[in-house]
Amino acid sequence: MFGLKMKNIILILFGASIFSFGIVHFNMQNNLAEGGFTGITLLLYFLFDWNPSYTNLILNIPLFFIGWKLLGKKAFIYTIIGTVGVSLFLEIFQRYQIHMPLKNDLTLAALFAGVFIGVGLGIIFRYGGTTGGVDIIARLVNKYTGTSMGKTMFVFDFCVITLSLIFYLKYYEAMYTLVAVFVGAKVIDFIQEGAYSARGAMIISEKNEEISAKILYEMERGVTVLKGRGSFTKLDREVLYCVVARNELTKLKNLIHSVDPNAFVTVSQVHDVLGEGFTLDENKKPLER
């Protein structure tokens, strides 16, 4: 229905459980705030002892009606699954907590809060879901004002953390909260971009044909020939572009050097690779990694 995948639903719920575990065991137990709607639920929890599992749903219900047309049916349903999943697991982990107070080591608490929240949200985002809240607001602002989603989310997070600092956070707890938010953002990017890291090589040589043949037949990697022009010489020449797995980079360098020790080579990091040889086999079938 609506093109939903059971794998995505399971992984979104799994991400919601990791996210909720981090909120309960590292943020709530150690008096740390958070950005976004989660930060508002924590603010209400610390001020009025309101259960975050309920306030999370209550705050998001109005946005569900807005998000129906904005997100599209499939993304909207994944968002509901993610949001309800977070509330469900928040309730479960509050009832069955593992007490691990780290108030004497807030650095560790902030790092673990950032990692758990980042991993949880990263999985949810990677498989098409969101946890509602500021993500929907950011999309609305982007649609009607052109303001980037990142800028809207940053302003919202800044306001929530500032309010938390005014009402209940001590200044040093606010600083540790910023550490957690920063770590969480980096972990989300890491998971979104893919843990698999490849290397892309640009090769300029007088022996392009020989280098290309060796890469094709000895490494079984594809090579793309690009048209280039020297800025100083004004001469047209070919540039080879090749993507290899990280552990194949040394072999590639040695191969190029054996053909042309004077070849000009640049290597860049590739965060994620899709296609034959990486995610598809020679028959265009998905590879299991």
Side-chain angles (χ1 to χ4, degrees), residues 98-282:
I98 303 171
H99 291 284
M100 51 175 81
L102 295 169
K103 289 187 178 180
N104 293 327
D105 192 351
L106 283 178
T107 301
L108 199 58
L111 290 175
F112 271 91
V115 169
F116 272 81
I117 290 170
V119 169
L121 288 178
I123 292 172
I124 291 170
F125 294 160
R126 189 175 178 104
Y127 289 94
T130 73
T131 55
V134 69
D135 181 68
I136 296 176
I137 293 174
R139 294 188 189 208
L140 278 173
V141 173
N142 175 257
K143 181 178 181 180
Y144 292 109
T145 70
T147 305
S148 72
M149 288 181 62
K151 185 179 292 185
T152 301
M153 294 173 81
F154 173 79
V155 170
F156 196 94
D157 288 350
F158 177 81
C159 292
V160 171
I161 294 173
T162 301
L163 286 173
S164 301
L165 176 60
I166 292 171
F167 288 109
Y168 77 92
L169 282 184
K170 297 180 176 65
Y171 75 90
Y172 62 88
E173 291 171 337
M175 294 170 71
Y176 281 113
T177 294
L178 292 174
V179 171
V181 170
F182 177 79
V183 172
K186 291 298 180 182
V187 174
I188 289 171
D189 288 344
F190 177 75
I191 293 177
Q192 284 286 86
E193 292 170 355
Y196 182 82
S197 181
R199 298 292 184 267
M202 302 281 285
I203 307 159
I204 302 174
S205 170
E206 299 294 335
K207 301 179 180 180
N208 279 346
E209 290 291 336
E210 191 174 346
I211 291 173
S212 178
K214 278 185 169 287
I215 293 173
L216 285 169
Y217 296 110
E218 293 186 20
M219 297 188 66
E220 296 185 346
R221 288 296 184 193
V223 181
T224 300
V225 180
L226 307 174
K227 296 295 183 181
R229 187 181 185 190
S231 177
F232 177 74
T233 63
K234 308 299 182 186
L235 297 176
D236 293 332
R237 63 190 312 166
E238 293 179 342
V239 180
L240 303 182
Y241 180 68
C242 178
V243 177
V244 297
R246 182 169 46 190
N247 60 354
E248 295 177 313
L249 181 59
T250 301
K251 183 177 180 180
L252 176 66
K253 289 180 179 178
N254 291 337
L255 183 151
I256 296 169
H257 185 76
S258 69
V259 176
D260 183 4
N262 298 315
F264 183 83
V265 183
T266 63
V267 178
S268 59
Q269 186 166 322
V270 180
H271 291 290
D272 210 358
V273 187
L274 307 175
E276 187 175 339
F278 293 92
T279 57
L280 301 174
D281 62 19
E282 63 275 10

Side-chain angles (χ1 to χ4, degrees), residues 2-71:
F2 301 124
L4 301 180
K5 295 181 179 179
M6 183 56 65
K7 174 186 174 182
N8 288 34
I9 293 172
I10 292 171
L11 286 168
I12 287 170
L13 290 173
F14 178 61
S17 70
I18 295 173
F19 173 82
S20 301
F21 183 92
I23 290 294
V24 172
H25 291 88
F26 299 109
N27 291 75
M28 292 171 65
Q29 286 190 15
N30 298 286
N31 212 53
L32 295 178
E34 179 57 36
F37 268 40
T38 305
I40 295 176
T41 64
L42 290 177
L43 178 62
L44 295 173
Y45 168 76
F46 286 117
L47 287 179
F48 308 112
D49 200 29
W50 290 359
N51 190 328
S53 61
Y54 300 138
T55 53
N56 178 62
L57 275 180
I58 292 168
L59 289 172
N60 274 291
I61 285 173
L63 293 175
F64 286 159
F65 294 101
I66 299 171
W68 172 255
K69 291 185 178 180
L70 186 67
L71 297 174

